C-alpha cells in the first residue's frame, strides 16, 4: 500500500487546475497527473461525446494509479472522474453506470477546488464560455456538498493558491 497522499484538484474550465497542479508538484518535488481530456481533444480534434466519458475517466484513473507508484509524499491530480461526472450531468443530464462507479471512487486525501477569480480564456475546442464555467462550478460545489466530500476553495494568485493548499495538505 502506498503512503502517497492523492490530492484532487477540481474546478470548472479555465480556473487554473493545471497550473496549480504543476506548481504544487514542483513545490513538493513530486508528480502531477495532467488532465487526460486535453490530450483526448488534441488527438481526436473534437470534444468528447457521451460515449467517450467513461473511457476518459478510466484513462485518467489509470494514469493516476501509475503515477502514484512513482510519486513521493503527494500526487497532484488535475481532475478526477468526479469532474467527468459533473460535465456529463451538465451536457447530457446523466452519468452512465460505468462512469458512476468510477466517480464514486473519490478516495483522495485532500480535495482542492479552484475558484473562478481568474479571467476566462478561450482554449480551442475545450472551453465553451464564462457562463458554462460558472454553471459547472456551481454543479461541482453542489455535488461535493451532497456527497459530504470536504474541500478547500483556493483563490487568488498562483502563489496564494499554493500557500492555501500547503496549509491544508502539509500543515506546519
Amino acid at each position: 500500500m502506498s503512503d502517497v497522499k492523492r490530492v484532487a484538484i477540481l474546478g470548472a474550465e479555465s480556473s487554473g487546475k493545471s497550473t496549480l497542479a504543476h506548481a504544487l508538484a514542483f513545490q513538493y518535488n513530486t508528480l502531477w497527473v495532467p488532465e487526460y481530456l486535453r490530450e483526448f481533444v488534441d488527438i481526436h480534434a473534437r470534444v468528447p461525446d457521451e460515449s467517450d466519458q467513461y473511457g476518459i475517466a478510466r484513462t485518467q484513473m489509470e494514469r493516476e494509479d501509475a503515477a502514484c507508484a512513482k510519486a513521493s509524499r503527494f500526487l497532484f491530480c488535475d481532475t478526477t472522474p468526479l469532474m467527468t461526472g459533473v460535465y456529463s450531468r451538465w451536457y447530457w443530464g446523466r452519468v452512465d453506470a460505468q462512469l458512476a462507479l468510477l466517480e464514486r471512487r473519490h478516495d483522495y486525501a485532500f480535495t482542492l477546488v479552484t475558484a473562478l477569480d481568474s479571467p476566462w480564456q478561450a482554449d480551442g475546442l475545450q472551453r465553451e464560455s464564462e457562463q458554462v464555467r460558472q454553471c459547472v462550478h456551481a454543479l461541482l460545489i453542489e455535488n461535493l456538498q451532497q456527497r459530504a466530500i470536504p474541500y478547500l476553495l483556493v483563490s487568488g494568485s498562483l502563489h496564494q493558491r499554493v500557500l492555501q493548499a500547503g496549509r491544508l495538505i502539509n500543515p506546519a
Side-chain angles (χ1 to χ4, degrees):
M1 177 118 185
S2 173
D3 60 349
V4 172
K5 293 179 180 178
R6 296 183 195 210
V7 180
I9 302 176
L10 307 177
E13 61 184 62
S14 191
S15 64
K17 296 182 305 294
S18 300
T19 303
L20 180 60
H22 181 264
L24 287 168
F26 181 80
Q27 174 83 20
Y28 291 98
N29 193 31
T30 189
L31 301 176
W32 70 289
V33 181
E35 182 181 28
Y36 173 66
L37 173 61
R38 181 177 302 276
E39 182 180 334
F40 177 94
V41 170
D42 289 344
I43 290 169
H44 298 282
R46 66 173 176 84
V47 294
D49 57 36
E50 185 177 10
S51 66
D52 296 317
Q53 298 301 295
Y54 171 71
I56 289 168
R58 188 187 70 238
T59 300
Q60 187 75 33
M61 285 302 303
E62 289 168 355
R63 290 181 176 186
E64 188 179 305
D65 290 344
C68 193
K70 299 174 187 169
S72 61
R73 287 186 60 213
F74 300 107
L75 177 66
F76 297 99
C77 305
D78 175 2
T79 209
T80 71
L82 186 148
M83 203 70 230
T84 307
V86 167
Y87 275 103
S88 289
R89 285 180 189 85
W90 172 252
Y91 285 107
W92 298 286
R94 62 182 174 263
V95 176
D96 77 38
Q98 288 181 300
L99 176 55
L101 288 174
L102 279 183
E103 180 187 34
R104 281 188 216 122
R105 267 186 59 189
H106 192 80
D107 54 356
Y108 297 84
F110 307 100
T111 299
L112 305 174
V113 175
T114 50
L116 301 183
D117 55 358
S118 59
W120 180 86
Q121 294 178 338
D123 185 17
L125 296 172
Q126 194 168 346
R127 296 182 182 158
E128 195 166 327
S129 70
E130 173 63 30
Q131 293 75 23
V132 168
R133 180 171 87 146
Q134 291 177 15
C135 291
V136 167
H137 179 80
L139 282 173
L140 170 61
I141 298 301
E142 180 182 315
N143 186 297
L144 291 168
Q145 290 172 345
Q146 286 174 347
R147 294 179 55 189
I149 295 172
Y151 65 92
L152 174 66
L153 182 68
V154 293
S155 61
S157 69
L158 177 59
H159 177 72
Q160 291 168 323
R161 289 174 178 213
V162 168
L163 288 175
Q164 292 164 32
R167 286 192 292 270
L168 174 68
I169 68 172
N170 195 33

